[in-house]
Amino acid sequence: ADAGADADADGGADGSSLAGRMYREEAWGCLVKANLIEAARRTPHDPSVEAASSKMYTQVFGPEFWPAGVGSTESSPIFIIGLMRSGSTLVESLLSSHSQV
């Protein structure tokens, strides 16, 4: 394979080429602008909304919700929390395949 096949036009495969350096500031400015737009449209965090959601989930998904024989009698649940593309689905798959989980 050609060692330079993935290189930028000026030779830098990591964006360190002249073209990469010229557009870095412009790209950063676009990223900052996009983050400001996203932050402006996002609903601010409200702990009382989270508390109400948790209470509702607890009421809806109580013991009577589940068919007989489904679930565990353990009182210590495992919560897997993660951001998108952070590996939380992989962790859930690994844990769910374990005989003692």
Side-chain angles (χ1 to χ4, degrees), residues 9 23 28 48 56 66 72:
Y23 294 111
W28 186 256
S48 65
M56 186 267 306
W66 306 102
S72 172

Side-chain angles (χ1 to χ4, degrees), residues 39 42-51:
R42 195 176 313 133
T43 304
H45 176 71
D46 183 350
S48 65
V49 171
E50 297 299 324

Side-chain angles (χ1 to χ4, degrees), residues 1-8 11-13:
D2 180 12
D6 293 326
D8 290 343

Side-chain angles (χ1 to χ4, degrees), residues 5-81:
D6 293 326
D8 290 343
D10 294 342
D14 61 355
S16 63
S17 68
L18 177 60
R21 289 191 303 265
M22 287 173 46
Y23 294 111
R24 188 174 294 142
E25 290 298 320
E26 182 180 357
W28 186 256
C30 290
L31 179 63
V32 169
K33 184 177 178 181
N35 281 331
L36 290 172
I37 291 169
E38 175 62 21
R41 72 171 198 84
R42 195 176 313 133
T43 304
H45 176 71
D46 183 350
S48 65
V49 171
E50 297 299 324
S53 293
S54 295
K55 183 177 180 180
M56 186 267 306
Y57 294 138
T58 302
Q59 291 171 344
V60 170
F61 298 108
E64 64 283 349
F65 175 83
W66 306 102
V70 172
S72 172
T73 58
E74 284 291 319
S75 62
S76 56
I78 298 173
F79 292 96
I80 301 170
I81 301 169

Side-chain angles (χ1 to χ4, degrees), residues 79-97:
F79 292 96
I80 301 170
I81 301 169
L83 298 173
M84 293 180 291
R85 311 293 307 160
S86 67
S88 55
T89 301
L90 175 62
V91 170
E92 187 275 332
S93 296
L94 290 169
L95 287 173
S96 67
S97 67

